[in-house]
Structure formats: structure tokens, C-alpha cells
């Protein structure tokens, strides 16, 4: 038998990753799903992005939550106890503001972060239980983009689902609506959702936020190729691809792409050892790696209504750059769920 020196045994290639990579890279234009950004290295790069001077999103949303946490928690809880669910386990320091406000009201609060990554959930659990006495973390390992259910809420408690950080911006409008409908289906009358969306603004602000001077976003983008090399044994010459950010005004979204700097052929193995891709890139050919949708005022509320939520209140910053919307699930028998 001949031995081939691949960096990885092909049997260890994750089938979900391989299917997504293959589908996207043989398409024209070529694309890769943005969830592929978030391996360990990518998650660390994203944390650095959130601290860049150009990346206004995280600090603007944090400012809104810092000013409004008590009000948000009060509107969500009404006269009952609150139980907090979060889609994604990453946005710890913003979540902390809301959990502190909940603990101030009711002494203890159950927090259920939902994520595909068990290690991210454990990290969130350790941090939060240590920092905020009264928070009881119940992690849920699942992929919320594929639909989900929640256990019955603790007796008499209402749920508040956090979907903050402009995470919804990665989804096409129809996908975003479907995702919110799935969330709605897992909730009960009286529960709420808190949705954080980035708003449309001048291109001169948007472009640097996705193409920063220190090149962290470029590294974040290129890490998707590094991940495919690491996990699938592909042979991307990562330095032969440039980061490009552009504002698509028609679709109202920031797009990020990787641009092949020269004509090149890249080998991508697959879980089937008899089948490997040989991808030929022309100079200037692109791989579309992310869309980040920017909402116009009122659009997030319309999206929530389309998913059968009742928008209750929207908070924004003084520049009108970011919006945080609270919406409720209609109460049973009050006739407001037509
Ligand atoms: C994590 C999806 C909110 O769209 O702003 C940051 C990801 N991409 N810089 C965003 C991202 C490039 C981020 N989200």
C-alpha cells in the first residue's frame, strides 16, 4: 500500500464542514458560510475585532445595554421572575449587564446560553457564576440555526431570549425571519426576545469597521482558509488571498470577500479519499465569506412582527448607529395574537 502524507487522515474530516466547503467552493461565484470563521483562532480574532477603534458595533450596543439594562429587564419580567436564554455564548460582557440587573430584582437568575461549542459554554459558565453571585448557568449544546426547543420554564418564570451583537445580520432576510419563528415556537405567551441589530449608516463609517487599519479583520477573513487547511488538509496559500470589504447598498449589507492575488490551483481533500477538489482560481477571482446586513429604522420591528412577536420598545444610541429591540410573545386570551 502507498502512504500519502496528508496533514490529516481523511476519515477525521468533519462531514458538516466538508459538505459546506465543497458546496461553496465549487459554486460560481464561490462562497463559504460565515459560521466557518469561528474555530478557536477565529473566535480569538473576533474578540480582538470587538476592541478595534473602527469596530463601533460592540461598544455602541454595550453602551445602550449599560444605560437600559434595568428598564429592559423590568419590561421583560413584568411582575414575574425572569429566566434568561442567550443564542450564542460569546457576548459575555454585554450579557453580564443584563444578568446583573436581573439579580438586582430577583436575587437569583437562571441563565441558559445556547451554543454549538461546549467549550465556549463552559467558559461562559465559569466566568459568569464566579463574577455574578446569584446567576445559575444551565448551558445548552445545540445549533440554534437548525431549530430548537427549550425545557419548560421554571414554575411561573418568564423567559427573555437574548439575540444580541448583530448576529442576526449574517442571515438573509428570509432566513432571519425563519430563525425568529423558530425562537418564537420555543417560547410561551408573556416571554420576550431582545434583538440587537446594526443600522444603516454612511459608508465612510461602515467600510473601516470591516477593513480596519491594523488588519485584524483581514486576518479573521483569511483564517477561514487556514481552518480549511488545518481541518481538511487543504493547500490554500493563505497569503495569496487578499481581504476585501464592500458596501452593497442595494441589498443593505456589508460583504467580505477573499480575492485571489494570482492564478492558482488549490487542492482540497474530502472525507471520500477517492475524491479531492482541484480548484482553479483566476487572478482577481473572489470567495464571498460573509454578509452583514444593516437595518433601516423600523425594519427589525417589522421582522419581529413577521415572526409573531409584538415589538414593545426599541433603544438606540445618540448617533442612531445601533438598535436594541424588545418584543413580546402575545399573552394567551387577550386577543392580541390575531
Ligand atoms: C459577529 C456577525 C456580528 O457582522 O459585524 C466582524 C462579524 N465580520 N467583522 C459582524 C464580523 C467582520 C460580526 N458579527
Amino acid at each position: 500500500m502507498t502512504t500519502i502524507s496528508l496533514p490529516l487522515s481523511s476519515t477525521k474530516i468533519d462531514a458538516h464542514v466538508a459538505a459546506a466547503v465543497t458546496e461553496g467552493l465549487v459554486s460560481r461565484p464561490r462562497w463559504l458560510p460565515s459560521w466557518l470563521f469561528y474555530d478557536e483562532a477565529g473566535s480569538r480574532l473576533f474578540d480582538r475585532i470587538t476592541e478595534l477603534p473602527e469596530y463601533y458595533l460592540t461598544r455602541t450596543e454595550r453602551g445602550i445595554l449599560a444605560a437600559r439594562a434595568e428598564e429592559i429587564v423590568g419590561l421583560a419580567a413584568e411582575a414575574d421572575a425572569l429566566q434568561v436564554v442567550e443564542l450564542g455564548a460569546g457576548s459575555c460582557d454585554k450579557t453580564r449587564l443584563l444578568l446583573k440587573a436581573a439579580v438586582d430584582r430577583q436575587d437569583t437568575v437562571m441563565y441558559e446560553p445556547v451554543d454549538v461549542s461546549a467549550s465556549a459554554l463552559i467558559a461562559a459558565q465559569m466566568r459568569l457564576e464566579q463574577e455574578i453571585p446569584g446567576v445559575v448557568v444551565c448551558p445548552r449544546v445545540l445549533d440554534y440555526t437548525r431549530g430548537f426547543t427549550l425545557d419548560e420554564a421554571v414554575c411561573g418564570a418568564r423567559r427573555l431570549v437574548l439575540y444580541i451583537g448583530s448576529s442576526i445580520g449574517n442571515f438573509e432576510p428570509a432566513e432571519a425571519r425563519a430563525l425568529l419563528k423558530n425562537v418564537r415556537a420555543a417560547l410561551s405567551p408573556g416571554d420576550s426576545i431582545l434583538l440587537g441589530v446594526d443600522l444603516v449608516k454612511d459608508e465612510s463609517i461602515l467600510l473601516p469597521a470591516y477593513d480596519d487599519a491594523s488588519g485584524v479583520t483581514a486576518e479573521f477573513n483569511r483564517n477561514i482558509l487556514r481552518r480549511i487547511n488545518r481541518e481538511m488538509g487543504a493547500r490554500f496559500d493563505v497569503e495569496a488571498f487578499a481581504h476585501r470589504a464592500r458596501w452593497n447598498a442595494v441589498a443593505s449589507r456589508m460583504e467580505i470577500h477573499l480575492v485571489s492575488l494570482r492564478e492558482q490551483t488549490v487542492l482540497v481533500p474530502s472525507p471520500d479519499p477517492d475524491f479531492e477538489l482541484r480548484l482553479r482560481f483566476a487572478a482577481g477571482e473572489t470567495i464571498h465569506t460573509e454578509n452583514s446586513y444593516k437595518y433601516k429604522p423600523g425594519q427589525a420591528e417589522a421582522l419581529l412582527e413577521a415572526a409573531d412577536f409584538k415589538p414593545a420598545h426599541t433603544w438606540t444610541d445618540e448617533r442612531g448607529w445601533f438598535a436594541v429591540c424588545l418584543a413580546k410573545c402575545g399573552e394567551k386570551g387577550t386577543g392580541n395574537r390575531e
Side-chain angles (χ1 to χ4, degrees):
M1 214 180 102
T2 17
T3 319
I4 318 165
S5 62
L6 282 177
L8 266 179
S9 141
S10 47
T11 55
K12 284 201 201 122
I13 300 176
D14 181 289
H16 182 50
V17 169
V21 167
T22 305
E23 185 193 354
L25 289 182
V26 302
S27 302
R28 300 302 167 87
R30 302 186 203 268
W31 61 282
L32 287 167
S34 53
W35 55 261
L36 273 175
F37 285 137
Y38 301 97
D39 64 350
E40 236 190 87
S43 302
R44 274 202 308 272
L45 285 163
F46 179 69
D47 287 343
R48 286 176 58 199
I49 288 175
T50 65
E51 284 159 18
L52 294 169
E54 296 96 331
Y55 195 77
Y56 59 85
L57 287 84
T58 310
R59 87 176 56 83
T60 306
E61 186 181 46
R62 190 193 301 118
I64 297 168
L65 296 178
R68 306 296 191 171
E70 203 187 318
E71 195 181 341
I72 291 167
V73 164
L75 283 171
E78 298 184 29
D80 297 318
L82 203 60
Q83 199 171 312
V84 178
V85 177
E86 181 162 21
L87 306 185
S91 53
C92 219
D93 64 63
K94 289 175 285 170
T95 305
R96 193 181 291 134
L97 296 164
L98 293 162
L99 292 176
K100 273 207 184 101
V103 167
D104 286 346
R105 263 180 79 93
Q106 63 193 46
D107 298 328
T108 69
V109 63
M110 181 164 157
Y111 171 59
E112 305 165 274
V114 176
D115 204 284
V116 277
S117 160
S119 58
L121 287 166
I122 289 164
Q125 172 158 28
M126 302 218 294
R127 261 195 316 257
L128 287 166
E129 284 185 344
Q130 199 174 53
E131 284 176 23
I132 318 172
V135 172
V136 179
V137 182
C138 300
R140 312 278 184 219
V141 184
L142 61 94
D143 181 355
Y144 65 79
T145 65
R146 301 200 216 178
F148 72 102
T149 54
L150 293 165
D151 300 337
E152 191 118 334
V154 168
C155 178
R158 290 172 191 257
R159 276 197 166 101
L160 168 62
V161 174
L162 309 180
Y163 197 33
I164 57 179
S166 179
S167 300
I168 193 118
N170 277 161
F171 296 93
E172 303 300 310
E175 290 172 343
R177 195 180 318 119
L179 194 154
L180 293 178
K181 279 187 177 168
N182 283 339
V183 175
R184 176 64 188 81
L187 295 179
S188 303
D191 290 346
S192 339
I193 184 168
L194 190 71
L195 183 67
V197 298
D198 195 19
L199 298 176
V200 174
K201 61 188 63 60
D202 201 88
E203 212 179 323
S204 63
I205 309 297
L206 288 168
L207 279 176
Y210 290 85
D211 192 7
D212 57 289
S214 53
V216 180
T217 308
E219 276 319 298
F220 174 73
N221 196 9
R222 278 194 283 258
N223 177 63
I224 210 168
L225 301 181
R226 291 207 172 86
R227 174 176 187 177
I228 295 169
N229 284 351
R230 281 191 294 264
E231 291 189 18
M232 296 178 67
R235 312 288 183 80
F236 277 100
D237 174 0
V238 175
E239 302 310 315
F241 287 85
H243 169 68
R244 180 186 292 166
R246 69 174 210 113
W247 168 239
N248 180 336
V250 175
S252 194
R253 68 192 190 203
M254 282 301 299
E255 298 177 0
I256 67 177
H257 303 263
L258 290 161
V259 186
S260 176
L261 292 173
R262 50 175 162 81
E263 196 185 308
Q264 52 185 324
T265 300
V266 181
L267 224 71
V268 183
S270 82
D272 175 354
D274 296 330
F275 180 75
E276 61 174 18
L277 295 174
R278 290 181 73 85
L279 303 169
R280 263 178 274 283
F281 288 89
E285 196 176 347
T286 57
I287 306 171
H288 185 180
T289 50
E290 187 175 42
N291 288 323
S292 186
Y293 280 88
K294 306 304 171 192
Y295 286 72
K296 297 178 183 87
Q299 269 183 344
E301 293 87 339
L303 184 67
L304 286 161
E305 278 192 302
D308 195 31
F309 285 100
K310 312 288 161 203
H313 201 98
T314 296
W315 298 268
T316 183
D317 53 294
E318 36 327 314
R319 295 184 289 200
W321 282 5
F322 201 95
V324 173
C325 311
L326 181 75
K328 299 221 134 196
C329 302
E331 300 280 356
K332 251 184 247 156
T334 56
N336 60 352
R337 291 192 65 199
E338 69 271 65

